[in-house]
C-alpha cells in the first residue's frame, strides 16, 4: 500500500474528518432530488423553468442582468475570456500565475481560443493595482480570483480591489471575477455578493466548492454577454440536453449553506490557531480571510505521515487526506477548507488531537 | 397560444404518445439511482471505479481498446476530429452536409479547433465510396454517421461501408463513426457493435437517443487516442469532478434497452406502413432501416395540425409533438423514433387513429 493511499484511507475511515461538508457519494444527489416531484420536467438544451428559474435567481443574487448555468467553471471562464477578447479585438488577457486557467486546464485557453496570458504578481502574493498599472502589454480582460486559492486563499484589501476595478474601467479593460469561492470571502469583506460583483463585468461562481453541490457553475453578466456565452457553450459541447442533476443539487446546497459561511470562516480561524501553536506548523495566511487556508509543515512527508496516522488512530480526528511536497524543499503542505464537518467534531477530541501533535513535536 | 405549443401540449397530455420511451422528467434519474447504494463514491475527475468500470464495459461492447465517458457527443466528436487532424497534420475533415457538426454545433469545429470541413454527397442521400474517391481535398478524417439522422435515418449497404473503410485505410485517412444511434442500426446490418466499429478508428455512441439516458456519450478507440482525448476533455471543460449522474443513467438504460432494438426496428416498419397508407403521407425511407424515419406530408402545417389534434382527441393516440415546414415548399414533416412507448399502445387505438386520418384525407 502506498503511503498516499493509506493517509486517504485513514481519513475516509475516521470518525471526525475535519475538512469539507460530507463524503462525495451518491447520497449527495439523492438528497437533492428528494425535494423534487418525479414528474418535474427536465430542462431541454438550456430551456425550461428548471434551468431558467435558477439562472434568474443567481443573476439576482450576483446583481447581474442575466446568468447562464454551465457544466464547469473551466468552460465558463474560457468562454468569458473569449467573448471579451473578441469584443476588444485583443487576443490577450491577464491573471495570476497560479490562476486555474494557467495550471489546471491543459492550456485550453491557448489551444482552443488562441488567447495568450500575461501573468501578474508573483506566486507568493495576490495581484495589486501596481501590477496592473505597470503591465506593458495591451489586454482585453483582467481576471481576478477571490480568494487566491493556490496561496491559501489570500485576498486583496477591498479598497485595492475597488481601485483595480476603477483603473480597468478607465482604461477600457474588462474585469472578470473568478468567484469559484465567492461566498467564502463575503464575511471578510462584509459585503453582499452583488456589491462585490458590481466591481466586475463578468462573474463565475462554482457550485461544488464551498456550496458542496455535485458540479456546475454560473456565469453572469449583461444580456449581450450571456447571450453570446450560450453560443460558445454549444460550441464547447456544454449545452447538454439535460443539466438538471447539477442544477437541482446546486440549488439545494446553495439554499442549505449560503448563510453558513460566516460560521465556516470563524471555524477556519479557530483551526488555524491550533495549527500555529504546533512546532514546525504554520498556516498561510496566518489568520485565514476565508473558510480556507494552507498548512505548511517543516518536515518531510514521510516523517509527518506516521505521526498524523497515530493522531487519527488515537482520537478519530482526521486532519487531512493528503500531503504534498513543498515547493521550497524539505517540507510539505496541505489545504484546509472548512464546511459542515468541522462543527460536528467534539471539541475535546479536537483538543486531544492537537495535544498529541504538539507533544510529539517538542 | 401558438399552434406549436398546442400540438406539444396535446401530445404531452395524450394517453398514448407513439414515439420515444417515456417523459423526460426527474423520475428517469431517480429510477437509475435507485439501483445504487447511497454510500457509493462519486467518480473524481475521470477516475474511480464508477466511471472506469463503465468505460471498460463500453470499450468491450464496441470492440475497442479503451473508451472515455464525455458529457456530450458534441465535445467528443470535435475532439476526435482534432486528434486526427493534429496527428496527420491536416486541418481538414470530411462529412455529410447534414452532419451534427455542420448544423447543430454553431461551427465549433472551426471556431475552437480551426478545422475546415469538406461536405460529401448531397442533402438527400448518404455518402458513397464514389463521393470519397472523387474528393479533391486532402483530409485527416472521414466522419460517417449511422444512420444519417437528418434524412430519416438512411444507411449505406454494409458492403459499401466496408469498401469506404478499406479505401480510407489504404489512403491513410482516419475514419470516425458518429454512432450516436449505433444500436439502432445493428438489427438491419445483422452485425454486432464490435463488428461495425472494427471498420472505424474512432467511435462515438450517445446515451440519450435510443438508449434513453439523461445525457452523455462514449468515445472509443485505441489507447493513445483515448489518452489524448482526456487531455482535450479537460481543455473543453468536460472533465467534471463528477459525471456520475449521467453514467449511472447511461448504464441503467443501456442494460434495460440494449436487446430491445430489433423490436423497436420492427415496430418502426409497422408504423411506417400505416403512414404510407395515408394519402399525402410518405415516410423516408419508405421501409425504415432503423427504429427511426421521417414522415413527409404534402399539406401545410396549418392544415394538418387541427386534423392531428382531432385524432389525438378521439383516440388518445398522439403521433407527433411538432411539425416542421418542408424544405421543398408546401408540405411539412416530422421525425419518428420508436422506443418503449409504441408497444404500450393498444392496437385497436392505433388502427382507429389511422382510420380517422385516412378517412379525413380521402
Amino acid at each position: 500500500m502506498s503511503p498516499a493511499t493509506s493517509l486517504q484511507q485513514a481519513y475516509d475511515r475516521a470518525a471526525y474528518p475535519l475538512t469539507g461538508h460530507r463524503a462525495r457519494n451518491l447520497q449527495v444527489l439523492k438528497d437533492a432530488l428528494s425535494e423534487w416531484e418525479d414528474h418535474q420536467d427536465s430542462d431541454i438544451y438550456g430551456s425550461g423553468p428548471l434551468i431558467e428559474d435558477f439562472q434568474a435567481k443567481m443573476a439576482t443574487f450576483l446583481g447581474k442582468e442575466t446568468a447562464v448555468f454551465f457544466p464547469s467553471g473551466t468552460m465558463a471562464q474560457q468562454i468569458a475570456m473569449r467573448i471579451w477578447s473578441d469584443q476588444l479585438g485583443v487576443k490577450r488577457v491577464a491573471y495570476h500565475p497560479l490562476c486555474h486557467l494557467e495550471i489546471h486546464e491543459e492550456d485550453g485557453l491557448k489551444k482552443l481560443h488562441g488567447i495568450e496570458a500575461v501573468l501578474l504578481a508573483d506566486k507568493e502574493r495576490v495581484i495589486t493595482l501596481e501590477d496592473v498599472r505597470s503591465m506593458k502589454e495591451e489586454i482585453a480582460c483582467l481576471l481576478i480570483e477571490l480568494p487566491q486559492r493556490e496561496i491559501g486563499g489570500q485576498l486583496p484589501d477591498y479598497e485595492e480591489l475597488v481601485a483595480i476595478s476603477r483603473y480597468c474601467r478607465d482604461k477600457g479593460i474588462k474585469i472578470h471575477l473568478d468567484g469559484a469561492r465567492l461566498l467564502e470571502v463575503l464575511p471578510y469583506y462584509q459585503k453582499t455578493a452583488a456589491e462585490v460583483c458590481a466591481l466586475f463585468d463578468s462573474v463565475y461562481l462554482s457550485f461544488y466548492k464551498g456550496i458542496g453541490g455535485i458540479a456546475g457553475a454560473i456565469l453572469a453578466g449583461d444580456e449581450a454577454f450571456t447571450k453570446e456565452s450560450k453560443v460558445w457553450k454549444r460550441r464547447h459541447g456544454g449545452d447538454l440536453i439535460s443539466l438538471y442533476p447539477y442544477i437541482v443539487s446546486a440549488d439545494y446546497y446553495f439554499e442549505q449553506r449560503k448563510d453558513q459561511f460566516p460560521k465556516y470562516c470563524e471555524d477556519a480561524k479557530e483551526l488555524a490557531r491550533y495549527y500555529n501553536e504546533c512546532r514546525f506548523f504554520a498556516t498561510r495566511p496566518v489568520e485565514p480571510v476565508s473558510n480556507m487556508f494552507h498548512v505548511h509543515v517543516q518536515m518531510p512527508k514521510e516523517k509527518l505521515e506516521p505521526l498524523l496516522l497515530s493522531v487519527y488512530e488515537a482520537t478519530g480526528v482526521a486532519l487531512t487526506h493528503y500531503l504534498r511536497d513543498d515547493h521550497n524543499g524539505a517540507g510539505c503542505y496541505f489545504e484546509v477548507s472548512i464546511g459542515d464537518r468541522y462543527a460536528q467534531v467534539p471539541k475535546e477530541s479536537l483538543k486531544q488531537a492537537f495535544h498529541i501533535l504538539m507533544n510529539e513535536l517538542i
Side-chain angles (χ1 to χ4, degrees), chain A:
Chain A
M1 196 189 302
S2 78
T5 312
S6 99
L7 198 59
Q8 174 81 57
Q9 288 179 338
Y11 185 89
D12 291 343
R13 276 196 305 261
Y16 307 117
L18 275 190
T19 62
H21 295 302
R22 58 190 286 191
R24 284 191 66 87
N25 59 29
L26 270 54
Q27 183 73 41
V28 175
L29 177 56
K30 289 185 182 187
D31 286 353
L33 275 173
S34 69
E35 297 258 307
W36 293 79
E37 299 287 344
D38 294 352
H39 56 72
Q40 166 68 46
D41 284 334
S42 171
D43 54 311
I44 300 284
Y45 296 118
S47 296
L50 196 152
I51 188 167
E52 289 167 11
D53 291 354
F54 185 64
Q55 289 175 161
K57 174 177 168 172
M58 294 314 299
T60 303
F61 177 73
L62 298 169
K64 295 292 177 195
E65 261 178 48
T66 45
V68 181
F69 192 87
F70 277 83
S72 73
T74 295
M75 193 184 292
Q77 294 205 109
Q78 283 183 27
I79 287 172
M81 295 304 102
R82 177 64 178 258
I83 292 170
W84 296 137
S85 288
D86 283 356
Q87 189 173 115
L88 279 77
V90 177
K91 287 286 222 180
R92 201 179 301 109
V93 299
Y95 48 57
H96 192 271
L98 298 176
C99 172
H100 198 275
L101 288 93
E102 186 66 15
I103 63 173
H104 290 306
E105 302 182 8
E106 294 280 358
D107 240 354
L109 188 67
K110 188 187 288 182
K111 304 245 181 205
L112 288 171
H113 296 283
I115 296 173
E116 300 288 331
V118 180
L119 305 181
L120 294 182
D122 64 42
K123 291 184 178 182
E124 305 300 319
R125 60 170 179 82
V126 298
I127 293 170
T128 63
L129 175 61
E130 189 44 38
D131 295 320
V132 185
R133 269 188 197 282
S134 58
M135 188 176 17
K136 304 243 171 2
E137 299 89 343
E138 188 187 11
I139 59 164
C141 181
L142 170 67
L143 180 152
I144 297 280
E145 182 185 350
L146 301 178
Q148 198 72 49
R149 185 243 178 129
E150 300 286 346
I151 49 174
Q154 296 180 47
L155 284 177
D157 289 342
Y158 199 71
E159 296 66 37
E160 184 88 9
L161 202 56
V162 171
I164 292 172
S165 170
R166 191 178 304 128
Y167 178 84
C168 286
R169 283 167 173 178
D170 285 350
K171 296 287 178 186
I173 298 168
K174 296 292 176 182
I175 180 163
H176 170 84
L177 172 59
D178 178 341
R181 295 169 176 77
L182 174 61
L183 277 72
E184 289 87 322
V185 309
L186 300 178
Y188 178 77
Y189 283 145
Q190 289 288 302
K191 301 284 176 190
T192 65
E195 283 168 333
V196 175
C197 293
L199 304 175
F200 297 88
D201 298 299
S202 54
V203 175
Y204 141 67
L205 172 69
S206 168
F207 292 107
Y208 70 92
K209 276 101 185 190
I211 294 168
I214 295 172
I218 273 283
L219 183 65
D222 67 26
E223 176 74 35
F225 171 83
T226 52
K227 190 176 171 199
E228 203 176 340
S229 80
K230 290 180 184 177
V231 177
W232 283 107
K233 180 180 166 189
R234 169 63 61 108
R235 289 176 181 143
H236 262 255
D239 189 21
L240 306 192
I241 184 167
S242 298
L243 282 166
Y244 71 78
Y246 300 132
I247 298 167
V248 301
S249 57
D251 198 14
Y252 181 80
Y253 294 106
F254 176 77
E255 286 302 328
Q256 192 172 104
R257 298 190 176 123
K258 67 179 161 52
D259 299 324
Q260 302 302 313
F261 287 88
K263 171 80 180 131
Y264 301 150
C265 291
E266 283 308 306
D267 288 347
K269 284 184 203 167
E270 177 182 282
L271 182 58
R273 284 193 296 271
Y274 276 111
Y275 278 115
N276 287 317
E277 282 170 16
C278 297
R279 199 177 165 200
F280 305 118
F281 280 65
T283 70
R284 183 190 203 190
V286 175
E287 179 170 289
V289 289
S290 70
N291 72 327
M292 71 167 291
F293 56 88
H294 284 190
V295 180
H296 289 262
V297 192
Q298 288 188 305
M299 189 185 291
K301 268 193 334 196
E302 298 67 29
K303 206 174 150 197
L304 179 59
E305 183 166 324
L307 179 55
L308 290 177
L309 289 172
S310 70
V311 170
Y312 301 4
E313 181 72 25
T315 65
V317 176
L319 306 176
T320 180
H321 63 277
Y322 75 100
L323 295 172
R324 204 164 284 161
D325 286 321
D326 221 321
H327 311 296
N328 308 327
C332 61
Y333 77 103
F334 55 94
E335 184 173 285
V336 170
S337 179
I338 297 297
D340 294 344
R341 277 171 169 163
Y342 186 82
Q344 296 156 14
V345 182
K347 290 294 171 207
E348 272 315 305
S349 303
L350 187 65
K351 281 179 192 162
Q352 197 197 347
F354 279 95
H355 184 75
I356 296 174
L357 210 55
M358 275 182 251
N359 284 348
E360 290 287 334
L361 292 173
I362 285 170

